[in-house]
Amino acid sequence: MIDTRAGNAGFAPGRRALRLLLAFTLLATLVGVPFGPVGARAQERPKPAAEKKRQAPTDAQGRGHATEPQGRGRPTVLIALHPGGGRLDPETGRPLTVFERLAARPALSLGFLGATQGQYSRRQALLDLTAGNRVSRSGYEPNDAPRFRIAKGKRGWEVHKWRKVVARAGSAPTDIVPGLLAGSVPGGAAFVGTREPPGLDAVLAANPDGRIPAVDIGRRSTLPARIERQLGERQLVVVALPRGTRGYAVLDRLLSKRPPEQLVVAMKRPPRSKLPQMLPIGIAGLFDGGTLTSRTTRLEGLVVTTDLMPTVLEWLGQPVPPQAAGRAILAQGHRDPAELMDLENRLRVVYPRRFPALYAVFIALATAALMLSLWGGAAGRRQALRVCALAIFWIPFVSLLCAALEPSRRVELLLMGAGTVVLGALCDRFVAWPRAPAIPALLGVTAYVLDLARGSDLIVRSLLGPNPRFGSRFYGIGNELEATLPVLLLIGLAAAAAAVPRSRRLAATFGIAMLVLGAAIGAGRLGADVGGVITVGAGAAAAVVVLLPGGVSRRAIALALAVPALALMALAAIDIVTGGDAHFTNTVLGADGPQALARTIGRRYELAWQTFLRGVMPVVTLVAIIATVYAWRRRHVLYAAVLDSPAWQAALVGGLAGSVAGTLTNDSGPVLLAVGVFVLAWATAYVRGDPRLAPVDSGSARTASAAAATDDADTGEFERPVRTGNSAG
């Protein structure tokens, strides 16, 4: 076996700089997390429901909000859906968008409404509005919504194929009741339109039995009068506005005559499309001139379909059913249509750029590996392993950088591809093996923790973030980053402390760093990711056990197994104290008895199974398992170069433990396993790129025969150190 201890002398170059980087990383995370949102683009956090009751606007700057009518009359809600169209922009010659037309009306607080979770369909968006709850298309059986329509039957106006709609909702892994919105309003809702039979929009006024209590169809000229008449009879009225300028004229008349006790919700009618939608929405009554948000999204300018039901019912003074998953919409801050358009424009291009960015990365990696291998021989192949691995480690940081810069498509793909490879090559050139991963890993994790502390504004705009257009997650990190960041942090710590002997101090350093990351990922006001807490906790516990001077003992193993549970308890305590309103606190601690808790756990595993069955995921999962077993069985060969480094051992064991724990406890378990093993595979590639090693060749076989006879059989494929520009010398 090669003597890796001799190579530790090569760790000296840049040691002081790396110590400073590690200290800065820990300081930045410890300082950044407790103080919450910072920076110019930080978002104001909505107040809990108990604090927002009957709260009027507080000043002219728009910092207050109201969710209940301030007048003394009977509260009413008007939902107006506009199909779009209208006059052209005199400067550009293109039709003005619905958002631009809503922004031209100062009485409206502005935002965008996430239409569906996952794949979009017009019918599904409308059904989600009526139910106040939603799941992705794959959560239903059948997947596609029935092709319902509005028709007049024996009971009056009703939704045709409603029984199929209800039956399909019953197959979802959560309680979904179509028609719950109108059914929760005394007397039900009314629909007002201009054509017969009514369009699909009328389903918003349907009760849980599929019947629409009142439908008022007439000429366009009588539309305002008929709306006012229905508002005098019912508290909730849904209106289909005419297309183009006539519809906006009706909206202007409604806004000009709006009494204080009336809430007007104007939004774009869900269009026919297969692309994910963020529908423009404006609300009059919450607070004139504000920006819309909710505790569901915690993102300024974005709300979701499930938020409409609690908003309407709280305004009307009615109880919100337990099946409703959303939170009441709030209006806060200043009104900046240009900033909202920037957000929508960025989110619109995130998904279309993801796969091209992935292709750009692998093309750049393949090009770099080919060039280095052809020009550098055996040493070049080792260098290719190091450079490509470092390029992978740079991807999270560069992705966040692109979110801040918001470059053009070509520039972003260039940065994600060639940019990461260039950064990897520079790190390999100027930082001695095996310390180079500390630079991209610790910088990347620090950047994400700081952005989580300021509201994850950049994360949601990045290619690796949870794209809010798909309606599953609106802040914090997604499954890919949940699996990547803990492993990346462990690798960065291992690289920075590669030559440090096993000690309690080193174990404490790993533990504290992972604790900070876990707090940032899991706290409700930051990441609100319960699965991430378990992943980080398990990884931290395994790493600390490996680093303790006493080694692995029964007591240490028992403590390691208890760490994830203790982390969840700490998460709940932090969330309760800070009012973070995390999903874990609501669904687990707020569960109505053991049966409700069992249903919640069952749903998570059902979703995990559905994820496993999706597309090529069974094959990817099998490959990840085979790679893990192979690496474990051949660990003395694959990781021979770092067997004398406790930090690297802790990183590899901790990364694997965290990935496995996340897989077993997350509702997207197979994804976490695949991503975690992917990052660990590149860490293995970097370790195998040790510049002191070279394959045996025929010309040196005779010279190496004596050394090979005394080497361990498992490491016979290596011969002797080679001198490269990155070598220990």
Side-chain angles (χ1 to χ4, degrees):
M1 180 179 291
I2 61 172
D3 186 2
T4 55
R5 291 173 297 178
N8 286 348
F11 297 163
R15 177 178 296 180
R16 179 173 300 178
L18 286 168
R19 284 180 176 176
L20 291 175
L21 174 62
L22 177 59
F24 171 76
T25 300
L26 294 176
L27 179 62
T29 53
L30 289 172
V31 171
V33 172
F35 292 97
V38 294
R41 301 177 70 176
Q43 61 186 25
E44 298 179 26
R45 298 297 185 188
K47 296 183 179 180
E51 299 179 20
K52 67 188 181 183
K53 296 283 187 178
R54 300 191 179 277
Q55 180 173 344
T58 56
D59 55 41
Q61 284 73 35
R63 302 178 188 273
H65 56 272
T67 58
E68 290 191 358
Q70 304 303 309
R72 296 183 179 180
R74 185 184 64 131
T76 57
V77 175
L78 174 66
I79 302 176
L81 297 100
H82 197 290
R87 64 185 180 86
L88 302 179
D89 187 336
E91 296 183 0
T92 63
R94 62 172 179 80
L96 292 172
T97 65
V98 174
F99 179 81
E100 290 171 324
R101 300 300 293 267
L102 295 180
R105 286 149 176 86
L108 296 174
S109 300
L110 297 175
F112 288 93
L113 182 138
T116 57
Q117 180 174 327
Q119 185 174 338
Y120 168 84
S121 78
R122 180 187 180 190
R123 284 179 168 82
Q124 189 59 61
L126 292 169
L127 290 176
D128 291 345
L129 285 167
T130 73
N133 201 348
R134 66 184 190 179
V135 297
S136 62
R137 174 178 173 271
S138 61
Y140 292 104
E141 183 60 39
N143 295 151
D144 295 326
R147 297 185 64 82
F148 63 84
R149 58 184 175 84
I150 312 302
K152 197 168 187 178
K154 296 180 180 180
R155 300 184 302 168
W157 289 101
E158 58 187 2
V159 183
H160 184 59
K161 296 187 178 181
W162 187 253
R163 289 184 180 180
K164 292 185 177 181
V165 170
V166 174
R168 175 175 175 269
S171 69
T174 188
D175 295 329
I176 295 181
V177 182
L180 186 60
L181 171 61
S184 301
V185 179
F191 176 78
V192 182
T194 58
R195 64 174 184 149
E196 184 174 349
L200 299 180
D201 308 339
V203 74
L204 295 183
N207 286 334
D209 61 0
R211 190 175 59 87
I212 304 175
V215 174
D216 193 335
I217 304 296
R219 294 178 300 175
R220 293 178 181 176
S221 60
T222 64
L223 185 60
R226 290 186 287 113
I227 293 174
E228 293 180 8
R229 182 171 66 246
Q230 290 297 333
L231 285 171
E233 298 176 2
R234 301 184 185 275
Q235 289 186 281
L236 176 60
V237 175
V238 179
V239 56
L241 295 173
R243 185 175 183 83
T245 305
R246 293 181 179 180
Y248 294 114
V250 174
L251 178 60
D252 287 336
R253 180 170 177 177
L254 295 173
L255 292 175
S256 64
K257 293 187 175 183
R258 184 189 71 85
E261 63 273 11
Q262 184 181 104
L263 186 73
V264 176
V265 180
M267 57 178 286
K268 181 180 180 179
R269 184 180 68 188
R272 292 186 178 92
S273 177
K274 293 184 179 180
L275 300 176
Q277 298 290 316
M278 288 175 54
L279 306 175
I281 183 173
I283 300 182
L286 296 182
F287 180 70
D288 295 345
T291 298
L292 300 179
T293 187
S294 76
R295 293 180 71 83
T296 302
T297 67
R298 307 187 188 196
L299 184 63
E300 284 189 349
L302 184 62
V303 296
V304 294
T305 50
T306 57
D307 294 332
L308 185 64
M309 179 183 293
T311 305
V312 170
L313 296 181
E314 287 190 12
W315 182 272
L316 298 178
Q318 300 298 324
V320 179
Q323 296 90 342
R327 296 291 188 271
I329 298 173
L330 310 173
Q332 62 183 30
H334 64 285
R335 188 175 186 268
D336 191 341
E339 185 175 344
L340 293 179
M341 280 302 302
D342 287 343
L343 172 64
E344 201 276 338
N345 290 335
R346 175 60 187 176
L347 296 181
R348 185 189 301 142
V349 303
V350 166
Y351 180 73
R353 291 184 185 180
R354 279 184 174 176
F355 286 102
L358 184 64
Y359 300 148
V361 168
F362 281 106
I363 290 174
L365 292 178
T367 302
L370 182 62
M371 294 175 61
L372 291 172
S373 299
L374 291 177
W375 292 347
R381 289 192 290 272
R382 297 282 178 184
Q383 186 181 10
L385 289 175
R386 299 193 306 272
V387 171
C388 290
L390 291 170
I392 293 294
F393 299 154
W394 272 110
I395 288 177
F397 180 83
V398 174
S399 175
L400 210 61
L401 178 64
C402 290
L405 299 177
E406 297 188 0
S408 65
R409 182 179 187 274
R410 181 176 299 178
V411 173
E412 185 160 18
L413 297 184
L414 185 64
L415 289 174
M416 294 296 296
T420 55
V421 171
V422 170
L423 289 172
L426 291 174
C427 280
D428 183 64
R429 174 65 180 84
F430 293 106
V431 183
W433 182 95
R435 290 183 173 273
I439 306 295
L442 296 183
L443 278 179
V445 173
T446 300
Y448 277 89
V449 169
L450 292 178
D451 192 58
L452 284 170
R454 64 190 295 273
S456 60
D457 183 56
L458 294 179
I459 294 176
V460 299
R461 299 168 184 255
S462 71
L463 298 184
L464 295 182
N467 192 342
R469 289 183 70 89
F470 287 92
S472 297
R473 197 166 184 84
F474 309 95
Y475 58 95
I477 62 174
N479 295 319
E480 295 82 1
L481 286 174
E482 176 185 330
T484 300
L485 293 182
V487 179
L488 197 63
L489 176 57
L490 288 171
I491 292 172
L493 293 171
V500 178
R502 181 179 282 104
S503 65
R504 295 186 180 275
R505 182 177 181 180
L506 183 60
T509 301
F510 272 66
I512 292 174
M514 293 290 281
L515 175 64
V516 173
L517 177 62
I521 290 177
R525 286 184 173 271
L526 302 178
D529 194 326
V530 180
V533 172
I534 298 176
T535 302
V536 175
V544 169
V545 167
V546 172
L547 291 173
L548 289 175
V552 179
S553 63
R554 292 182 178 180
R555 181 179 179 182
I557 293 176
L559 180 61
L561 294 176
V563 165
L566 296 174
L568 287 180
M569 295 173 61
L571 166 66
I574 293 173
D575 190 56
I576 292 173
V577 171
T578 61
D581 194 29
H583 178 72
F584 171 72
T585 308
N586 292 328
T587 58
V588 177
L589 300 184
D592 296 330
Q595 293 182 347
L597 180 59
R599 286 197 301 269
T600 299
I601 296 175
R603 289 167 186 161
R604 291 182 66 86
Y605 283 105
E606 183 178 349
L607 292 173
W609 179 249
Q610 292 175 357
T611 301
F612 173 75
L613 297 177
R614 190 178 304 157
V616 298
M617 188 53 66
V619 177
V620 172
T621 304
L622 180 61
V623 171
I625 294 174
I626 293 174
T628 301
V629 173
Y630 176 82
W632 182 260
R633 291 175 62 89
R634 300 279 293 173
R635 60 189 182 277
H636 294 295
V637 176
L638 295 176
Y639 308 109
V642 292
L643 286 180
D644 288 345
S645 173
W648 270 101
Q649 295 178 31
L652 295 169
V653 173
L656 179 59
S659 299
V660 172
T663 301
L664 297 176
T665 58
N666 198 286
D667 56 8
S668 300
V671 175
L672 272 73
L673 179 65
V675 175
V677 170
F678 176 80
V679 179
L680 287 171
W682 282 107
T684 304
Y686 181 80
V687 171
R688 297 289 293 168
D690 182 355
R692 301 167 298 169
L693 306 177
V696 175
D697 55 43
S698 57
S700 61
R702 181 176 302 176
T703 306
S705 59
T710 59
D711 275 349
D712 186 273
D714 283 340
T715 57
E717 59 181 306
F718 301 113
E719 183 207 7
R720 55 184 172 80
V722 295
R723 296 184 182 274
T724 70
N726 189 272
S727 176

